[in-house]
Amino acid sequence: MNWKEWTALLYPPECPVCQKLLSDTEDRRRHIHGDCYRKLRRIVEPMCKRCGKPLLSAQQEYCYDCQRRPSACEAGHSLWMYDAVSSESIFAYKYDGKRAYADFYSQAVLHFYRDWIESLHVQQLIPVPLSRRKQRQRGFNQAAYLAEKLGHYTGISTDVNIVQKVLKTKSQKKLNALQRRKNLEKAFCVTGDVRGKNILVVDDVYTTGSTIDAMAGCLKRKGAGNVYFLTVCIGRR
C-alpha cells in the first residue's frame, strides 16, 4: 500500500456537496458522489459572451449587466450556478477549511474549460487576493489555493502574491453593484511585472463582476495584455 492509499485510509475523503465520506472507489476518483454531482447546475449555452452568465435566449449576446457597463476584462467562464447546493460547498471550502474540495473544483473546471484556457495563450494565473486580516481568519486564501491547483494541472505559471489588496474595504455581500465598484476602487496593487502578459484571474464566485473588473483594470494599468477570468460559481445578478 502506497502513501496515498494510507492517507485515504487514515483520512477518508468526503463529498464536497453532502460532506459525507466517499466510500466507493469511483466516487473517490471523481472526488464526489454521483448523485451529488447531478445536483450541481452547470452553466450551458446560451451564455453571455463576456461574463458567461446564462441567458434566456440564444438571440442575446450579452447579459443585462454587461450591456449596461464596459469591463476591463475580456471574457470569463464559471462552472456552476451559485445556488443553495453549490453555496454550501463553497462556504465549507472557504470558512471550514475544506481545502480538499479544491481538487474536485479544479478538475471539474478543467474537464469543461481546459480547451478554452489553452486557446487564450495565458502566461499567468493570478488569484483574487484577500486582505491580511481575512487571510489570518480563514487560514488560507481560497482563490490562491484553487489557482495553485489549476496551475499544477495545466503547467501555467501561478503567482499568488503579485497582486495585493492594499485598502481595507467593506464586505461586498450587502452592497449593490454600484456600491461594490466604488468600494473596490484602488483596492488592489500589482507588485510585479505583468507587461504584455495574458492573464487568467481565478476566484471562487462571480457575482456582479466588480472584483474581477477591479483586478483587470489594475493589471492593465500596469501593462498586462488580455485579462480573462475563471470562477467555480456564478450568480444570476
Side-chain angles (χ1 to χ4, degrees):
M1 186 178 290
N2 60 36
W3 69 270
K4 286 187 177 180
E5 291 170 328
W6 275 113
T7 300
L9 185 64
L10 294 172
Y11 306 100
E14 65 178 42
C15 175
V17 170
C18 70
Q19 299 183 33
K20 295 179 180 178
L21 297 182
L22 296 169
S23 56
D24 184 79
T25 302
E26 183 64 16
D27 289 343
R28 287 191 179 194
R29 184 184 67 80
R30 294 180 303 189
H31 304 286
I32 191 172
H33 291 128
D35 289 343
C36 290
Y37 182 77
R38 287 184 282 274
K39 293 177 182 178
L40 295 166
R41 296 166 56 205
R42 190 167 72 83
I43 310 297
V44 295
E45 295 285 2
M47 62 179 73
C48 177
K49 289 186 176 181
R50 180 176 293 153
C51 74
K53 285 183 181 178
L55 300 174
L56 296 176
S57 169
Q59 278 66 53
Q60 287 180 268
E61 290 189 342
Y62 299 100
C63 70
Y64 177 74
D65 289 332
C66 289
Q67 288 177 30
R68 289 193 310 154
R69 56 173 172 75
S71 173
C73 194
E74 269 65 36
H77 279 296
S78 305
L79 188 54
W80 300 303
M81 288 301 304
Y82 191 60
D83 58 15
V85 176
S86 62
S87 63
E88 283 194 21
S89 179
I90 293 292
F91 184 91
Y93 172 57
K94 290 169 68 169
Y95 300 108
D96 295 339
K98 304 288 187 177
R99 300 190 192 195
Y101 292 5
D103 284 310
F104 168 62
Y105 298 152
S106 58
Q107 290 183 34
V109 165
L110 291 174
H111 177 75
F112 292 101
Y113 290 120
R114 184 186 290 271
D115 289 345
W116 175 72
I117 294 171
E118 290 177 353
S119 74
L120 305 178
H121 305 292
V122 168
Q123 284 100 21
Q124 201 155 45
L125 300 177
I126 297 178
V128 172
L130 288 178
S131 66
R132 291 181 180 179
R133 180 180 61 84
K134 277 192 176 181
Q135 187 150 335
R136 283 197 302 270
Q137 288 175 342
R138 295 181 191 176
F140 78 120
N141 178 348
Q142 77 281 351
Y145 197 68
L146 180 61
E148 289 175 331
K149 289 288 183 182
L150 291 170
H152 171 75
Y153 291 127
T154 62
I156 300 173
S157 173
T158 305
D159 195 323
V160 301
N161 297 309
I162 197 167
V163 177
Q164 298 288 325
K165 191 169 185 184
V166 293
L167 288 182
K168 183 178 179 181
T169 56
K170 298 176 183 177
S171 172
Q172 296 277 85
K173 291 181 181 179
K174 297 182 180 180
L175 303 180
N176 62 34
L178 179 60
Q179 289 170 332
R180 284 173 180 242
R181 291 182 179 279
K182 294 292 289 183
N183 190 42
L184 289 168
E185 286 182 358
K186 302 179 181 179
F188 302 115
C189 176
V190 178
T191 62
D193 187 6
V194 296
R195 288 173 296 178
K197 292 181 180 179
N198 289 342
I199 291 169
L200 185 63
V201 175
V202 178
D203 205 1
D204 55 339
V205 180
Y206 179 108
T207 47
T208 65
S210 54
T211 300
I212 295 294
D213 197 45
M215 283 279 293
C218 179
L219 288 162
K220 286 192 170 182
R221 286 192 292 273
K222 289 294 185 178
N226 293 329
V227 180
Y228 307 90
F229 77 85
L230 189 63
T231 68
V232 178
C233 296
I234 193 168
R236 281 199 175 273
R237 259 192 88 197

